[in-house]
Structures are given as structure tokens and as C-alpha cells.
Amino acid sequence: MSEHEDTAGLEDHRLTAVRLAKVEAIRAAGGDPYPPNFGPNATAAGIAEAHGDLADGEESGVEVVVAGRLMGLRHVGKLAFGVLQDGSGRIQLFSVATRLGSRFDDFTDLDLGDLVGARGEVIKTKRGELSVRVDEFTLLAKALRPLPEKWHGLQDVEKRYRQRYLDLIVNEDARAILGARSTTIAALRDSFERRGFIEVETPVLQPIASGAMAKPFETHHNALDTDMYLRIAVELYLKRLIIGGVDRVFEIARTFRNEGVSPRHNPEFTMLESYQAYADYYDVMDLIEGVIGEVALAVCATTDLTYQGRPMPLGGPWPRLGYVDAAAAATGIDWDLGMPPADARKAASGLGLEIDDAWGVGKIVAEVFEEHVEPTLWEPTIVMDFPVEISPLARRHRDDPHKAERFEVIAAGRELANAFSELNDPVDQRRRFEAQLEARAAGDDEAHPMDEDFLRALEHGMPPTGGLGIGVDRLVMLLTDQASIREVILFPAMRPES
RNA sequence: GGGCCGGUAGCUCAAUCAGGCAGAGCAGCGGGCUUUUAACCCGAAGGUUGUGGGUUCGAUUCCCACCCGGCCUACCA
């Protein structure tokens, strides 16, 4: 195959044809437009830190070798000013025809987007721009396609998601969010590890989609000839590890749910789940408040954030509301999980909610809560003591059999974290699964499936345990002030092109 | 899934309301300039107006269908 057959039409477009021709010219002159390596010894940020205090027109006497992408090029007679962008920032390449000789024309012939290496002394120009005064430069990789507009960047949302590399090249915000996400993950890991939690990895492919109530992605394992599901949670696997004696365990788990796509939902997302033996949900409240505070400090250097124009104080302790009490306060109806379901249904219908006849009081109150309470909670709030009916994996409340020792952290009107005193009574767990099977039979296709393998593990004895799940993407949204989950996921789910 | 909005040069945007030669800036090309900072000046280029139909003498513009995206909504974390 000749190297021309695979240019995919690039030679047909005037902008790319010019660049292809430059590649050919370089090769014809014995050069390599794609050399195998290069050895930079300085970064834009490092140079700024070391030499930022040079006076205008002053020379540092220090020679550096830098590498990056050419983002700007201003040709002024026998001078040329290039803008080199590397992973740390930008530095000007100051080229002087009298120093570069015949190579000066090659420098001005570079295209925006080319990857370039340069060697020269760090100086500050007369106009005060810190620069590398180029004595030698090398084309490190020819860019055949033009960059988006240098001032406005890439605005087209679809292109920004599909071609995230362009977004990262030209939009500083995109790079900042990527960095904040990385810092968030590192800070979460650090917070849990310092508390003695061990990080593990459990199956993504599971024979039963357990641990949450959601529609899974289905797939098939050919060699085992068995249907499998992409995990919707890691809960039951981490509890197996608690049973196995791993007393503090966590996983940063990519999780998959075959549900709608929205500014707050991506079919694959990241959840951190942790389990702590001998702890109850009160211990977990302290844990989540501590962890979120630490992460906010690591990422934002403060816990007093602004989210979408409104104050978002992440520092704990957070207010704690009773789940049923909050529903009552919001609607003026004296909800009681022990009330006759018909009464609850009537009251909820009076609020304009559509209630399925098969629902129990717990599910009805949950509907009321999600409609009338959750959207109104802006600052982080712990809502505790959920209906046991909608909490099949949580321990029954020590004082009220209708409730579970479960809480969620609500922030900006949506769930940020979900936690409970874990259910470790295997007989009760079996009954809860059976109740879920009944709900499934009644038409709830997100009811939790029976999991005999997990029950067998529970029957060996699980210590009292506090469990926690944190929506990592949503946490990053809060920390970076982003309204859409797609802004904090590098490659959000999209329909295939064409 | 439903509703609303959008898709024009490589990129950022005009023109669409009320049908009449589709324009500009950046990028690219040619030329000039020894201190630029979105450099500037001169010149010449660059278009299947998302796709396919329809109405019309004439469609980027009006109509229909479809594709892709955004927001809202539904499901959910």
C-alpha cells in the first residue's frame, strides 16, 4: 500500500491538501515529519515559575528544550512569535531569522496544531512576554487537520463531546474539569485509604444484576454459554468481602444502567461504594461528611462552593431530616408508614401523583418525597429513615419496623450519596427479596432479583456493617459547577455518527 | 418515548421573520513588515446551507419525512 492510498480524502480538501503537501516536502528533503521521540527538559509552567521575574528584554542565560502543540504564530518580518502549548500551559517561541538562518522559513511554514519541539534560551521580550528564543526547532508531528478557531474555541456541543481531544486542545475549561475530576478521584481514594479502607475490584460482568434497582445491560458469554449483566452496583460483592473479613473495603466502580440519558444521567457512570464492619448508618454520616469536606478542600481549596449561582456549603455537619417527617412537612399530610395503603393512595392522588395500585405505603411516600421534598433541598442534607419497603438491602430500623436505617445525602435537589446500616439478618434478607419478587410479579421490572448466592454468604454471618455509595460524577459536577454530567465525563454516551 | 429549539466554509457567526446572486472574522494561500499578544496591511481564494422529497419561474428561507445534537419531560443515581 502506498502511503497515498490511505489519506481518506485529505488530499481533496484545500486545507488538508496543503498540509499533506508539506509532509511530502519534508520527506523529499530527507526529513521525518513524525520522528520517534524527543527530549524536552522544561515545561511552560516550570519556565514561568523559574524565570517569570525576568525584566523586559532580559536574558536568563538558561537554555531549555520544550515541546508541545503550536497554538499561535505571528510572523513579523524577520521575527516570528509562536505560541507553544504543553500539558502545563503556554510559552512563547521567539524566532529570529538571523539566528535560525535557512530554518526561519521552515518555522513560519509551520501550521497551527503542529507538534513542535524547540531548544533555546529563556528570555523575556522587550514587550514583556516570557519566551524561548529558538536556536533549533523540530517538527514532532505534523497536524493534517486545522484546529478550531483560536479565539472562540470549539463551541459546538456535539463536536466537543465526540471529539473531546479538540475540546481539550482549545478549551481551557475542559482541561480544568479533567484535572478536577482526577483530583477528586485521588482525594476520595486518599480519604478512604487513610481511614483504613482497602480498595478492591469486583466483577463488572455479573450473572445477576444485583445491589440496586435498575434496568441492566444484558450480554452473553459465549464460552460459558450464559447470559450476563453489566453491573448496576457493587454492593453485594463488597458485602461478600465484609463477610470474608475485609473489614473496611471500597471500590471506585464504573457502573451501567440501561436507562434514559439526560443532563444528569449517563448509561455508564462512576460510583464509589464503601463498607465498614461494626459501623451503623450514624458512623457513615460522619464518614461521608468528612470525606466530602476533604475532597472539596483538595479540589477547590474550600468547602464553601458556589453551584449554578447559588451557595453550596459542603462543610458538615449537614442538617438531618426524617424522610417521612420531611414528606409530611412539605405536603401538610400526616404520613404514617403504618397507615392503610388505600388512605395513602388517596392522599397522594390528591397531590396529583399517579399511584400504582400495587404500591405499598412506603413506595407511595417515596413518590411524595421525590416530587415534593427532594427538588427543594439545595444545601447538602441528610434525609434518614427511609421506608423499608423501598430499601430491600438495608437493616430494619431499630425502633420502627416500617423504616430502614438508611439515609441519602441530597444536594442541589438530587441524590449525592446513599447509605445504610446494612441488612445482615439472612432470614429478613430472604423475606425482602421475596417481597421484591412479588413487586416484580406486579409489574415492577426494576425490583431487586433474588440472589441465592448472596443469601448463602449472609447465612455464614456478616458483622453489623455501614455501607455507602457516592455518585462520583455528580460530586464532580458540584465541585466544578457543571450543570450537565456530560461535561464531567470525557466521552459521554452518544449515538454513533452516520 | 413525548414536547420545544438547533444543524450555513475547517472553526466562530450573519443572511431565514416577509422566497430573489449565501456574507464576514479566524484558520489556510500569495505578498509586505525586527518585538508580536485574537498582531497589522495588501491581494486572491474557499459552500452538496444535516439528508431526502415536495411547493415554486426561483428554496438556506415555505411544507413533509428522516438523521444528529441541546434543553425540558418520563425512568433513574
Side-chain angles (χ1 to χ4, degrees):
Chain A
M1 185 193 301
S2 105
E3 59 197 38
H4 296 285
E5 286 175 354
D6 222 21
T7 51
L10 289 174
E11 70 279 10
D12 296 332
H13 193 283
R14 60 203 164 80
L15 294 179
T16 49
V18 167
R19 294 176 180 229
L20 268 180
K22 288 179 181 178
V23 166
E24 290 309 307
I26 291 166
R27 288 213 169 97
D32 183 356
Y34 298 99
N37 61 0
F38 193 68
N41 64 13
T43 64
I47 291 168
E49 187 175 356
H51 303 290
D53 58 354
L54 285 174
D56 293 359
E58 190 181 358
E59 303 177 351
S60 69
V62 176
E63 183 185 89
V64 296
V65 179
V66 293
R69 194 179 291 273
L70 189 68
M71 300 299 292
L73 184 59
R74 296 177 287 273
H75 182 191
V76 182
K78 296 199 171 359
L79 303 177
F81 303 87
V83 179
L84 192 77
Q85 176 172 292
D86 65 18
S88 73
R90 292 180 167 197
I91 182 78
Q92 179 164 272
L93 298 182
F94 178 48
S95 288
V96 184
T98 51
R99 296 180 77 90
L100 280 175
S102 63
R103 288 284 280 157
F104 183 77
D105 286 345
D106 294 333
F107 187 88
T108 58
D109 205 32
L110 288 169
D111 288 298
L112 301 192
D114 286 352
L115 290 151
V116 176
R119 177 180 60 78
E121 183 180 349
V122 176
I123 66 149
K124 191 170 271 187
T125 61
K126 288 182 203 170
R127 296 293 179 89
E129 186 71 24
L130 193 63
S131 309
V132 173
R133 187 179 58 203
V134 179
D135 285 318
E136 183 183 11
F137 75 94
T138 309
L139 177 64
L140 300 178
K142 187 70 187 172
L144 296 180
R145 294 180 183 271
L147 285 175
E149 213 250 4
K150 64 184 177 185
W151 183 244
H152 298 95
L154 185 63
Q155 299 296 325
D156 185 292
V157 174
E158 182 177 352
K159 280 202 177 69
R160 287 182 41 239
Y161 297 160
R162 289 192 194 277
Q163 297 180 267
R164 184 68 86 180
Y165 46 91
L166 290 179
D167 193 26
L168 290 167
I169 289 168
V170 301
N171 293 336
E172 193 175 344
D173 288 354
R175 296 192 292 275
I177 291 169
L178 183 155
R181 181 169 184 128
S182 173
T183 303
T184 300
I185 301 285
L188 283 169
R189 186 169 273 133
D190 182 58
S191 286
F192 280 92
E193 287 181 343
R194 279 191 297 100
R195 287 171 171 81
F197 286 78
I198 290 174
E199 182 172 6
V200 297
E201 292 172 281
T202 61
V204 171
L205 289 174
Q206 302 182 353
I208 298 174
S210 65
M213 297 190 281
K215 297 189 195 87
F217 287 91
E218 300 169 18
T219 186
H220 186 80
H221 191 290
N222 291 339
L224 298 179
D225 188 24
T226 185
D227 290 333
M228 307 282 281
Y229 301 93
L230 273 62
R231 65 188 178 192
I232 58 172
V234 294
E235 170 148 358
L236 300 193
Y237 282 92
L238 295 188
K239 285 184 188 173
R240 286 173 170 90
L241 296 177
I242 290 283
I243 292 164
V246 187
D247 283 347
R248 294 186 179 205
V249 65
F250 75 104
E251 178 166 5
I252 298 172
R254 187 71 62 84
T255 307
F256 308 84
R257 298 191 180 176
N258 203 343
E259 291 161 359
V261 175
S262 86
R264 286 162 294 282
H265 301 86
N266 197 63
E268 55 182 295
F269 62 103
T270 303
M271 192 159 55
L272 186 151
E273 289 196 39
S274 74
Y275 293 83
Q276 177 180 348
Y278 313 112
D280 66 8
Y281 71 152
Y282 292 109
D283 297 312
V284 180
M285 291 177 202
D286 296 339
L287 173 66
I288 179 76
E289 284 174 345
V291 166
I292 295 296
E294 290 164 17
V295 172
L297 286 176
V299 176
C300 306
T302 176
T303 57
D304 289 316
L305 312 186
T306 297
Y307 185 68
Q308 302 296 294
R310 297 174 62 180
M312 178 57 69
L314 289 184
W318 303 322
R320 299 179 181 188
L321 299 180
Y323 191 94
V324 178
D325 299 340
T331 57
I333 295 170
D334 189 19
W335 302 101
D336 177 350
L337 295 177
M339 70 201 296
D343 293 358
R345 198 169 301 128
K346 189 175 174 187
S349 298
L351 294 170
L353 300 176
E354 287 187 28
I355 303 300
D356 192 304
D357 286 345
W359 291 0
V361 177
K363 177 104 174 170
I364 293 168
V365 174
E367 190 70 16
V368 172
F369 179 88
E370 285 165 19
E371 279 299 313
H372 290 274
V373 181
E374 191 167 274
T376 70
L377 297 176
W378 182 263
E379 301 186 357
T381 305
I382 289 174
V383 181
M384 55 193 292
D385 300 336
F386 277 52
V388 72
E389 178 187 340
I390 59 165
S391 311
L393 303 172
R395 184 188 195 280
R396 206 173 288 273
H397 195 282
R398 62 195 74 177
D399 297 325
D400 184 342
H402 296 298
K403 294 176 180 171
E405 293 197 358
R406 172 184 176 186
F407 73 89
E408 286 187 359
V409 179
I410 310 293
R414 46 190 186 249
E415 178 186 340
L416 180 63
N418 182 20
F420 13 105
S421 303
E422 300 297 335
L423 175 54
N424 66 341
D425 175 344
V427 174
D428 194 7
Q429 181 67 78
R430 182 177 292 278
R431 282 200 298 265
R432 304 285 195 88
F433 280 155
E434 285 166 352
Q436 289 293 307
L437 291 183
E438 287 172 22
R440 181 174 290 265
D444 182 357
D445 58 1
E446 292 186 1
H448 198 286
M450 175 63 70
D451 191 336
E452 288 288 352
D453 185 73
F454 174 66
L455 284 172
R456 178 175 60 181
L458 260 196
E459 288 159 6
H460 281 282
M462 183 174 85
T465 297
L468 169 65
I470 301 172
V472 173
D473 311 274
R474 290 183 173 180
L475 176 58
V476 176
M477 288 168 69
L478 281 183
L479 296 173
T480 57
D481 193 21
Q482 292 302 310
S484 171
I485 198 170
R486 296 192 192 95
E487 298 294 346
V488 304
I489 291 175
L490 284 171
F491 299 100
M494 304 280 277
R495 275 202 177 77
E497 284 183 278
S498 75

